[in-house]
Amino acid sequence: MATAGVVRRGGGHSLRRTGGLVIALGVLAVVVVASLGIGARDVTAASTWAALWHDDHSAEALIIREFRLPRALLGLLVGAALGLAGALMQALARNPLADPGLLGVNMGASAAVVVAISYLGVSAITGYVWFAFGGAAVASVVVYLLGSAGRAAATPDRLVLAGAAVSAVLVAFTSAVLLLDPRAFNEFRFWNIGSLAGRKLDVVAQIAPFIAVGIALALALARPLNVLALGEQAGRALGAHVGRTRVLGALAVALLCGAATAAAGPIAFVGLAVPHLARLMVGPDQRWVLSYSAVLAPILLLGSDVVGRVLIAPSELQVGIVTAFVGAPVFIALCRRRKLADL
């Protein structure tokens, strides 16, 4: 009888979590519709729907198909990537304050973009994407090699320290180049602020395969991460491959955060705050934390993008600024409500 009661309670928890995820997906659908329809020129839901399926060469169709649809799709991909990358980082580092930039990914992307602008004359966003992604990947590899140097294994503490050191060097390099090249600074600042605007479908197509692989890899690591949460020794005793899980997790973070940062620039607080909200809603089970993070983060990102369009209309406030203003109070509120959620 006791066992049956436990099963019923477990089934109830699973049902509530599933229901919550369905509701979150519904909210995400509403936010996507708002992203397509709201802006300097509002478009009705009927006109939006018609423009998605038929290009009648009207002004509304041009706005929806050429500008807002790529922006919404990019927000979905970048949001899901940052949410999953943040949840993975916090689980791998067992540090509730970890975020995707902790492994030097953001600064690696930034340094590569500066090099592309200043030394190679790249000025198009489609050019930034590949340099930024390459810089993020190289920075991740360097951090892992430094963190695993010597006889000791690549523990979370060593990776965090290596990430801080690499980020500091890249910050100094980036600042020096920008100070010596005003033209590069003028172009770099628009990417560095974090934005979904001005990106076309070709940018979405470039990053989509990397984010798709990263999402699949992140979700596949949910069960091993649950085992590792018990501690390394307990995890090994239960058959977990600690080293392999960390390597695959670092690869997933590099793919997700590298592609997202390459396309939209560094966007703060999404990867930090959203996993805490997910754990507050569903507990520490990484299967649910990762799933919720992949849905809640696009809601925050696209919602912030819509807010940025209407706050100072007809001008726009870039999404990187809005997420900082929205994400910081949310994170502080979560911290005040309770202790940081257990990992």
Side-chain angles (χ1 to χ4, degrees):
M1 293 297 291
T3 301
V6 171
V7 171
R8 283 195 296 270
R9 285 195 295 273
H13 283 305
S14 179
L15 186 61
R16 284 195 296 272
R17 290 165 174 168
T18 303
L21 189 59
V22 171
I23 292 172
L25 287 170
V27 173
L28 179 58
V30 172
V31 174
V32 170
V33 172
S35 177
L36 292 172
I38 296 175
R41 176 169 178 171
D42 292 341
V43 181
T44 65
S47 298
T48 299
W49 182 257
L52 288 175
W53 298 103
H54 177 66
D55 185 7
D56 58 4
H57 303 290
S58 64
E60 288 81 3
L62 177 65
I63 291 171
I64 297 298
R65 298 173 71 92
E66 295 296 324
F67 297 99
R68 293 188 185 168
L69 179 60
R71 192 166 179 171
L73 292 175
L74 186 65
L76 286 172
L77 289 175
V78 170
L82 293 177
L84 280 170
L88 274 176
M89 278 300 307
Q90 291 171 15
L92 288 169
R94 300 180 67 185
N95 182 347
L97 296 178
D99 75 332
L102 198 63
L103 289 183
V105 176
N106 286 349
M107 285 313 306
S110 298
V113 168
V114 167
V115 169
I117 295 172
S118 183
Y119 297 108
L120 301 177
V122 178
S123 58
I125 293 175
T126 51
Y128 293 168
V129 168
W130 294 109
F131 282 95
F133 184 77
V138 170
S140 299
V141 171
V142 171
V143 167
Y144 185 81
L145 291 176
L146 290 175
S148 59
R151 296 182 179 179
T155 62
D157 291 341
R158 287 168 61 90
L159 289 175
V160 169
L161 290 174
V166 170
S167 295
V169 172
L170 292 176
V171 166
F173 169 78
T174 301
S175 300
V177 174
L178 293 177
L179 285 173
L180 296 173
D181 190 346
R183 182 191 62 83
F185 172 76
N186 192 47
E187 293 190 24
F188 174 75
R189 63 192 178 94
F190 290 107
W191 175 84
N192 194 51
I193 198 66
S195 176
L196 301 177
R199 278 66 168 171
K200 303 297 184 181
L201 284 175
D202 54 353
V203 174
V204 176
Q206 284 177 327
I207 69 167
F210 298 104
I211 291 181
V213 173
I215 289 174
L217 189 56
L219 295 178
L221 291 174
R223 289 184 181 275
L225 289 173
N226 279 337
V227 177
L228 288 184
L230 302 174
E232 291 188 15
Q233 292 184 349
R236 288 192 177 94
L238 293 173
H241 298 277
V242 177
R244 184 175 67 185
T245 300
R246 284 183 179 150
V247 170
L248 293 177
L251 175 60
V253 169
L255 288 171
L256 292 168
C257 191
T261 304
I267 296 178
F269 278 106
V270 175
L272 179 61
V274 167
H276 287 285
L277 181 60
R279 283 192 291 272
L280 185 64
M281 297 172 67
V282 298
D285 189 337
Q286 292 297 327
R287 294 173 299 176
W288 291 103
V289 170
L290 292 171
S291 299
Y292 269 71
S293 295
V295 177
L296 295 176
I299 293 175
L300 173 60
L301 189 63
L302 283 175
S304 297
D305 190 43
V306 173
V307 169
R309 299 181 206 176
V310 300
L311 273 181
I312 57 173
S315 299
E316 290 189 9
L317 199 61
Q318 299 304 326
V319 69
I321 299 173
V322 181
T323 56
F325 278 105
V326 174
V330 169
F331 185 65
I332 292 171
L334 289 173
C335 293
R336 289 177 61 85
R337 178 184 176 94
R338 51 178 287 182
K339 294 181 179 179
L340 292 175
D342 293 334
L343 299 180

